Amino acid sequence: MHSMATTPLFDVRVLDASRVLAGPFCGQLLGDLGAEVIKIERPGSGDETRTWGPPFAGETSAYFLSCNRNKKAVTLDLSQPEGLQLFYELAKKSDVLLENFRAQSADKLGVSPEKLLGQNPRLIVCSISGFGRTGPWNDLPGYDFAMQALSGLMSITGPVEGPPSKVGVATTDVLTGLYAATSILACLHAREQSGHGYAIDLALLDCAIAAQVNVVQAYLTSGKMPARQGNAHLQIVPYQAFMTADEWLILAVGNDRQWRSFCEAAERFDWASDPRYATNTQRVTERGVLVPMVEALLRTRSYGDWHARLEKAEVPHAPVLDYPQLFSLEQVAARGMKVTVRDPAGKTVELAGSPFHVQGAALPTPTMPPLLGEHTDAVLRDMLGMNTEAIEELRKKKIV
């Protein structure tokens, strides 16, 4: 048994050679759980998201800040033989390598999963790409927006009568980062028994399809393309956004008992006793009649009035908040979902917090996402035993 104060991934070292969002988000998750995460970037330019702003905190973009906390940053030019050799040396001393090179680029650079496992047979290599390493599209580049379109996600998102719409955040990247972290943790566990490394091949498109759960399954089960629902639910009624007299209310009636409670709170006892609306299946079938009646009723009172009635009746509901309202909630503060870190100059920077709370383990105090190459000297010295002169020599050759 380790002491109770260790972090869950205290003995795991991750080389994060990925860029943009899916891979860096995965690396950040592993860092949030205590892994040592070393971000490898190209000298001079680094991860392109460093420049994706405004807004910026100092010289670092908000975009970069969102997915690179709890990491060390090293610059390394993999296109130079000496740079590649250093990369191999770092890989030999790491447990996990995250990368999102296109398949042909990885082969050309000498960083294919096969090559890396040849250098370190115990390494877990996680390759993230648009379409994966097999199939006719295996070398096409992949971007979140394109994946939302290709995966069918946009076809089911947006207003019923309006155009298809993307989700307001790069959701296929974030989901792929979560699938990546899950598969890496599974392989770390498997390695305890097998003693060998693994190559994980994850595609944004695959993850986007898998994450559409009940809606994609409705198509596979029925053979019919589900109609776009806007802010309603394909399989539950009433479960959507309704306008009250003054603001939006999300009503989430998830079962028949809650439906009866809603009818009582709304003083529509006739609806509760009407056999046409008694079960969810019937309410879905009668959606066209029932939803307009609920809409008309909810407009007759303010959100505050409905909130009081629905809370008392224990009917699930919520307001639609913006970020200023969200971050003023006591609940969000109590859960540590906004954290303050300091940049190297000592200035405070606010970040969204990590959602992990683990009893019986320590979690790292969040650290500021690193400046480009901020830890190059320290990592080369501590991990590879290089001295100052050797590192200076690399700098002159623009290898770091």
Side-chain angles (χ1 to χ4, degrees), residues 75-372:
T75 50
L76 205 50
D77 185 352
L78 304 188
S79 68
Q80 295 197 50
E82 228 175 316
L84 184 62
Q85 197 47 50
L86 287 170
F87 187 66
Y88 290 156
E89 295 304 319
L90 292 171
K92 283 175 192 167
K93 299 191 175 227
S94 299
D95 300 287
V96 176
L97 192 139
L98 263 173
E99 57 91 358
N100 60 355
F101 302 111
R102 282 167 68 176
Q104 286 177 15
S105 314
D107 295 343
K108 213 159 47 206
L109 271 173
V111 291
S112 65
E114 299 71 29
K115 193 87 182 181
L116 291 163
L117 282 162
Q119 296 291 325
N120 176 359
R122 283 177 55 81
L123 192 63
I124 290 151
V125 183
C126 182
S127 303
I128 294 173
S129 58
F131 301 100
R133 290 186 155 259
T134 53
W137 291 358
N138 72 338
D139 202 52
L140 293 180
Y143 301 95
D144 172 82
F145 197 2
M147 294 307 155
Q148 291 202 34
L150 287 167
S151 66
L153 182 58
M154 282 181 66
S155 75
I156 61 162
T157 305
V160 178
E161 299 297 332
S165 182
K166 71 182 183 72
V167 180
V169 71
T171 187
T172 71
D173 277 334
V174 172
L175 289 163
T176 303
L178 289 163
Y179 280 114
T182 305
S183 50
I184 286 166
L185 295 174
C187 290
L188 282 169
H189 178 72
R191 190 179 71 173
E192 295 286 308
Q193 300 302 317
S194 73
H196 63 69
Y198 297 86
I200 300 163
D201 169 14
L202 272 180
L204 293 175
L205 181 62
D206 302 351
C207 294
I209 295 168
Q212 287 175 69
V213 289
N214 60 305
V215 188
V216 82
Q217 188 59 48
Y219 163 72
L220 293 172
T221 302
S222 69
K224 294 192 185 78
M225 181 62 207
R228 198 177 312 139
Q229 300 298 316
N231 286 319
H233 195 291
L234 183 65
Q235 292 140 340
I236 315 174
V237 170
Y239 198 100
Q240 66 189 74
F242 291 98
M243 191 63 191
T244 65
D246 56 355
E247 59 183 284
W248 287 100
L249 174 140
I250 304 302
L251 182 64
V253 172
N255 60 43
D256 300 334
R257 181 184 54 75
Q258 288 173 356
W259 166 246
R260 291 189 293 275
S261 300
F262 167 72
C263 294
E264 281 168 38
E267 296 174 32
R268 287 302 305 256
F269 305 101
D270 54 320
W271 289 353
S273 59
D274 193 321
R276 287 176 301 168
Y277 313 134
T279 68
N280 180 65
T281 303
Q282 288 166 297
R283 291 192 297 278
V284 171
T285 307
E286 296 292 335
R287 181 195 299 264
V289 177
L290 181 58
V291 168
M293 294 197 300
V294 176
E295 273 176 335
L297 177 66
L298 283 164
R299 281 183 181 275
T300 62
R301 300 176 187 278
S302 70
Y303 177 85
D305 191 339
W306 282 117
H307 170 64
R309 288 163 175 265
L310 297 174
E311 191 168 47
K312 192 169 168 222
E314 296 184 354
V315 176
H317 67 287
V320 178
L321 302 183
D322 61 18
Y323 292 156
Q325 293 168 311
L326 169 74
F327 285 108
S328 68
L329 293 179
E330 274 178 43
Q331 178 64 29
V332 171
R335 299 292 290 175
M337 286 313 297
K338 184 171 77 171
V339 296
T340 304
V341 296
R342 291 189 182 275
D343 71 11
K347 283 203 5 221
T348 60
V349 176
E350 287 183 338
L351 303 176
S354 158
F356 296 122
H357 298 267
V358 183
Q359 274 190 321
L363 292 175
T365 305
T367 61
M368 174 74 183
L371 298 173
L372 182 60

